[in-house]
Amino acid sequence: MKTTLSALLLVFTQLALGADAPTYEGYERDRVLIRSTYRLSAPVLNASSGEAIQAAHRIFKNVRLVGLSRAQVLAILGDPKTISGYGVAADAAADSPLTYCFDSGFGGWEYVIRFAKGVVTQIDQNSLD
């Protein structure tokens, strides 16, 4: 059943993004894992798990986002607010950056996707250590 669901999700993603949808083996699993969190007690919030941080690294390493539209990026990664308690909601402006923060509460990575005319031009990767 999981294999069938994964296959359907992959087909849906390919239809939504076009025939050349950027995927790799383990892509669908990583899309789920980037939202894996655990609860910090002080301050109380959901921080990214180690698995989420590793999954984000694989996605940003293996998926070519430069040249994609804002809608395509959001279809691939979802709203940055949904990643963890450190997330910042996506702004509606076509060229405002999307910031994906994968913070364990003790460090991690932040990926800032920059746009020009609604298309990804650059991705900045910043250490949170």
Side-chain angles (χ1 to χ4, degrees), residues 47-117:
S48 293
S49 68
E51 293 85 4
I53 293 169
Q54 292 171 357
H57 175 74
R58 287 189 296 271
I59 287 173
F60 281 92
K61 176 183 169 196
N62 291 306
V63 176
R64 180 162 169 78
L65 298 173
V66 172
L68 297 182
S69 72
R70 185 179 191 83
Q72 289 173 310
V73 172
L74 289 169
I76 292 168
L77 299 172
D79 191 307
K81 180 68 176 164
T82 64
I83 298 299
S84 72
Y86 292 105
V88 177
D91 188 321
D95 286 342
S96 64
L98 294 174
T99 302
Y100 291 88
C101 187
F102 299 91
D103 192 336
S104 68
F106 305 98
W109 292 94
E110 173 186 78
Y111 300 88
V112 181
I113 302 173
R114 302 197 184 279
F115 297 86
K117 298 180 184 175

Side-chain angles (χ1 to χ4, degrees), residues 35-56:
R35 287 169 178 75
S36 172
T37 61
Y38 68 96
R39 193 81 165 166
L40 289 177
S41 57
V44 177
L45 71 130
N46 292 325
S48 293
S49 68
E51 293 85 4
I53 293 169
Q54 292 171 357

